Amino acid sequence: MKKTFKNIETILNKSLNSIETFIQSHPKVNFLFGALFEATDGLIRSTKNTAKNPPFIRSSMDVKQYMGGILAALFFGWVLPAIYFYGFMCVVPKLIVSFVVGVFVVDLIWVILAREERINEGGFVTCLFIPAFLPPQAPLWLIGVGAGISILFRNILGGVGHNLVNPALFGRLMLTICFPTMVVSGWQEPSIGIPTIKSLMYGVDAVTHATPLIAFKETGETASFFSLMFGANTGSLGETCRITLIITGIWLCVKRIANWRIPVAYLGSVFVISIIFSLMVGKTAAPPIFQLLSGGLIFAAFFMATDPITTTYSQAGKWIFGIGCGLITVVIRNFTSIPEGIMYAILLMNLLSVPIQSIIQKIKYRT
Amino acid sequence: MKKAYKKGFNLIETYPVKFPETVILVKYDGPVDNFSFSFPDKKVEHIIVNLCPTEPWALPNRVILRNATHDFLDKLEAVRTEYFPDSHCHVVVDHLESNLVNELTQFKTQKDWLSIHTMEAVYPYDAPVLIVKNILGLDIAFGQNTIEDGILILDPQNVTGIFEYYIKETEFNTRLIPISGTGLKDNKILKVKPGTPIKSMLELYVRTDIKYRVFLDGLLNGTEVKDLTQKIDWSTKNIIVIEERDYKTPFPYLNVNELLFTTSLMGELRRCVYCNFCDDICPVNLEPALYWHCYDRGEKHKARTYALEKCIECGLCSFSCPSKLELLQVIRECKSLK
């Protein structure tokens, strides 16, 4: 097994080397496909680069592994549970459309047109987010449009490292503006209990039901915490099975890919602030634990808010960022007509993180 | 998660380097440098002897002590009474080496000029700034000569050297130099006469089937040896020869071990993703990414406003950066601006 793998590796390495020399020896080919080759080669092989300046050894962690960690966490956090709850045919086509449109069409055209060096793995992460926060019955073209907008927007701002707000959430904001009814309907009931082959393939019959947060707004009923925790309620594709999201989120924090301060600050502040609101206005405000376990809060706190580029760099700023997200989320959920406010909270705090960072820097270094 | 990751990095765990028990003498007939130690003209109040190397390629302390810790301490006492009579000696050892700690405490009971300190073998805790702060609680600036504050940091090999050469007045012309790395057939501890060119030291031990690069005094903040005829001197601490991996490796995420102890960047140069790895690992609580952002915007002079002078140039920020930014280089460039 290991030997065959080694052989495949050698053959692949040789053929990629010969393609590389071919491309580099033909200027015209290089002009058209050079960037594309570098981009795909970068996903398969390491670079030739060696350390020219001290330190002369470097740690093995690179951006590829960093993004790979997030991808793995997302896969186990929402893709597998979603297949169980809504069926293979509901989840996988959406992922394929999202990846194809986002990475293989928009990003690739961008790489060729803008003559970038590589396709950035960050695109896969963004595209894996898009289906997760749309309803299970969202049409495929909606996913495609969302993925396309997200990647295009990220590239316009300068690619990974320069984006001001979370590109996936920006894509969803555009979808909310352009197709307001599409993104808040089609909440399909998940299939629960022992799965059959049919349910794993196609899910159960498409019965829709309001999400717990919408139901609370309308009738004041709260769903049971147990069902919320294990995903037996309606909701967006990726947000319902909270237990796996919490486990993979904690794994990300332990691996130091996600900064633990943000989920702690975000979830903690939602809890505390909703206690305060419950004491102030009584039953019209949702109870604290229900707030924590409903909507996309867990998903957002562990995966979306922790996107390192769009938060502050300072560690103290991350606490402020998380608390700000929590405050805005609770206020929107309780005092506006919109049932869910996480997207607005994170996007707003993404923008606010720039002044927060500069103020903290000024206080810390007294400049 | 490894505790070592927080503030400083346990290099010994990540890059285990094993040295053999034996010491090999390198023969060289050319001109050699005689031992000399420039005694400080200021009054020395504290002597720090570090027996806890934090880098895996550094000389292990067993080679210096040779199971005769008392001998070494007697030498230290002789050196102290002869040259630094009013000073206090601080010996630093790894807190895991309980045998050594016991031996030292036994010896210490009769002496009031000596104190024993234990330390975790985490890079870069033995950097002068940090070791002085940990032991004496004093803040000294990076690059400042510690003699100005009356502190002498003494290399254990120099203790033996001063004892043998100045007190016993015997011949002392060899220095122990450990050589290690993936560019060698075996790791060795060599007994070298300073003045020997690096080339004649290494020629028996380097691998001929690969490209390699040679470095002096540690990989993180040491220097590269471009010219192998360069000579060893009395301040050389160690030599590392590692493989120059300047070709592409398929599926690097599956072959991490192959790449680990080589000069490979292990990734591509990217933009800063604000991952906080650099300020998590920084032993002096700085935020290196801020300097990079200043540099990137073309405002090198602004980097000084973010406590740049505190940086001890240990190189851990560049080491841990997943975007492979040359942070140490950027810091040095910003520092050199007047």
Side-chain angles (χ1 to χ4, degrees), chain A residues 245-246 249-250 252-253 258 263 267 297-306:
Chain A
L245 289 174
I246 291 172
I250 289 173
L252 274 188
C253 292
L267 299 175
L297 184 64
I298 304 271
F299 184 75
F302 280 109
F303 295 96
M304 316 244 35
T306 53

Side-chain angles (χ1 to χ4, degrees), chain A residues 24-44:
Chain A
Q24 276 164 4
S25 55
H26 296 74
K28 274 185 185 164
V29 183
N30 194 10
F31 181 78
L32 280 175
F33 298 107
L36 182 62
F37 175 77
E38 280 296 309
T40 31
D41 196 29
L43 291 178
I44 302 167

Side-chain angles (χ1 to χ4, degrees), chain B residues 39-108:
Chain B
F39 290 98
D41 44 2
K42 275 206 152 188
K43 189 171 171 271
V44 175
E45 282 168 29
H46 298 280
I47 298 176
I48 297 174
V49 178
N50 179 19
L51 288 174
C52 173
T54 60
E55 290 165 84
W57 38 79
L59 189 67
N61 58 23
R62 64 176 160 80
V63 189
I64 303 161
L65 300 175
R66 272 176 283 154
N67 292 327
T69 318
H70 281 247
D71 274 5
F72 178 78
L73 290 170
D74 288 336
K75 283 177 196 167
L76 182 63
E77 187 172 15
V79 169
R80 177 190 165 267
T81 34
E82 184 75 27
Y83 294 102
F84 317 106
D86 299 326
S87 63
H88 192 87
C89 283
H90 303 266
V91 176
V92 186
V93 280
D94 190 343
H95 71 302
L96 293 175
E97 286 187 90
S98 46
N99 287 339
L100 186 59
V101 177
N102 285 341
E103 263 182 272
L104 287 168
T105 17
Q106 264 178 25
F107 186 86
K108 194 200 162 237

Side-chain angles (χ1 to χ4, degrees), chain B residues 190-218:
Chain B
L190 302 179
K191 205 171 202 179
V192 194
K193 290 174 183 158
T196 313
I198 292 174
K199 198 175 181 179
S200 57
M201 253 178 91
L202 294 178
E203 59 194 357
L204 285 176
Y205 310 110
V206 289
R207 280 168 65 182
T208 42
D209 52 334
I210 53 161
K211 269 184 170 176
Y212 57 83
R213 280 160 82 187
V214 182
F215 305 95
L216 274 188
D217 298 348

